[in-house]
Amino acid sequence: MSTPRFLTLPPGVSRTNIETSRGSFAALEALPGSGVPERPPALLVPGLTGSKEDFLAVLQTLAASGRRVVSIDMRGQYESIGPDDPAAYTRAALGEDIASLLEALGPDPAHLVAHSFGGLVCREAVLAGAVRPASFTLMSSGPAAVTGPTADRAKALRDAIPELGMETIWQIALEPDYTGKGLEAEIIAFVKARTLGNSETGLICMANEILTAPDRVDELAKHCAGTNLRVLVLYGEDDDAWLPAAQAAMAERLNASKVVIPGAAHSPAWEAPETTAAALRTFWHEAEQNSR
């Protein structure tokens, strides 16, 4: 879970809702200083236990390049309402949500950035072919299901929710950990609100999805080659979810650009925001030049 370092919205960033053909999604929206976007927009998608605030530190910088930048809560996450139907939280169903968001940000294709589990979801949206983004960035995401300690945590969460509920899990496991890190009371209060704001059904189902995702990298490579969709694989040098070596191998299989963020682990948008934003802006500019 990405933990924000601050919560105050930077100038030009506001809270909003994005209305789509598949419902409303809570969002943070950043606009350029002039208020008139001149470049294609961007859609930023968080991971399993994350939210739109995972990108708060980079929104203003990304919008300054002359574009509208939107980060969202996926269905059932934090402030985006989700149903109790498990079918709403499969990778494919969530991918349909992403496609509807890309459509809503049109008419120009939007750059798609997906963090962690969001990468597995957005991969489904891209492969479905309903919409074509301006580019696709996999941020700290992997080729298939998570393994190792990350998988152990996802499995523990999935199995504990039906028995204990998130309120109890927060009290006995999560709150002591965050308090022990010496975080400000405001940050802990936000993390609690986000944790308890999630749909429990959604968390159970999405945890299962991240544990069972198949390797679809070769399918994605073929699709991107056929549609001339440019892909960036971006991750922290110390990523502890998917191993950096696995992400590097994925980039090679995709014939994708690759950026390794020094001093970052699994949340480069918070751990190294300026470096991460610069890498995204450079990649987006190259993708736009290539499409002309």
Side-chain angles (χ1 to χ4, degrees), residues 1-10 13-17 25-30 43-60 62 69-74 76-80 115 139 186-198 266-271 273:
M1 179 187 295
S2 296
T3 304
R5 310 278 175 88
F6 62 84
L7 294 170
T8 303
L9 298 185
V13 179
S14 61
R15 296 188 180 277
T16 187
N17 287 282
F25 294 84
L28 293 175
E29 179 182 53
L43 175 64
L44 315 182
V45 181
L48 171 60
T49 54
S51 66
K52 57 192 176 300
E53 288 78 11
D54 291 354
F55 303 101
L56 186 56
V58 299
L59 289 175
Q60 183 185 34
L62 293 176
V69 182
V70 173
S71 63
I72 56 105
D73 294 337
M74 285 195 288
Q77 285 185 326
Y78 190 25
E79 295 177 320
S80 287
H115 179 244
M139 178 186 290
E186 179 188 31
I187 300 298
I188 295 177
F190 163 76
V191 175
K192 178 180 180 179
R194 176 170 67 179
T195 300
L196 301 185
N198 286 320
H266 190 56
S267 302
W270 271 112
E271 294 154 351

Side-chain angles (χ1 to χ4, degrees), residues 55-287:
F55 303 101
L56 186 56
V58 299
L59 289 175
Q60 183 185 34
T61 304
L62 293 176
S65 60
R67 67 183 81 246
R68 178 190 185 195
V69 182
V70 173
S71 63
I72 56 105
D73 294 337
M74 285 195 288
R75 182 181 302 278
Q77 285 185 326
Y78 190 25
E79 295 177 320
S80 287
I81 296 173
D84 289 331
D85 181 5
Y89 303 105
T90 64
R91 293 182 302 275
L94 294 170
E96 291 178 16
D97 290 345
I98 299 305
S100 73
L101 283 156
L102 289 171
E103 288 178 345
L105 294 183
D108 293 329
H111 296 285
L112 181 59
V113 179
H115 179 244
S116 194
F117 174 65
L120 301 176
V121 168
C122 291
R123 185 173 70 184
E124 297 292 324
V126 170
L127 287 173
V131 291
R132 182 188 181 280
S135 71
F136 183 24
T137 297
L138 290 158
M139 178 186 290
S140 303
S141 190
V146 290
T147 59
T150 303
D152 293 339
R153 289 191 293 270
K155 186 180 298 184
L157 179 66
R158 180 196 65 187
D159 296 345
I161 293 174
E163 180 180 353
L164 300 175
M166 284 307 302
E167 180 77 43
T168 298
I169 292 172
W170 170 261
Q171 292 175 354
I172 67 175
L174 299 178
E175 185 174 26
D177 181 54
Y178 282 106
T179 302
K181 292 177 181 177
L183 298 175
E184 296 178 8
E186 179 188 31
I187 300 298
I188 295 177
F190 163 76
V191 175
K192 178 180 180 179
R194 176 170 67 179
T195 300
L196 301 185
N198 286 320
S199 160
E200 291 191 356
T201 299
L203 283 176
I204 293 168
C205 296
M206 288 190 281
N208 192 64
E209 291 288 289
I210 203 173
L211 289 164
T212 59
D215 188 327
R216 302 192 70 186
V217 173
D218 292 342
E219 293 174 68
L220 181 61
K222 182 177 180 180
H223 175 87
C224 293
T227 59
N228 198 32
L229 175 62
R230 295 199 55 170
V231 179
L232 169 66
V233 174
L234 181 152
Y235 55 92
E237 64 177 349
D238 299 317
D239 199 337
D240 56 359
W242 285 274
L243 293 175
Q247 295 182 66
M250 179 176 68
E252 185 172 347
R253 291 170 62 191
L254 290 170
N255 193 29
S257 302
K258 183 186 73 173
V259 174
V260 181
I261 304 296
H266 190 56
S267 302
W270 271 112
E271 294 154 351
E274 292 304 320
T275 306
T276 299
L280 289 173
R281 290 173 63 173
T282 297
F283 174 66
W284 291 346
H285 180 71
E286 292 173 350

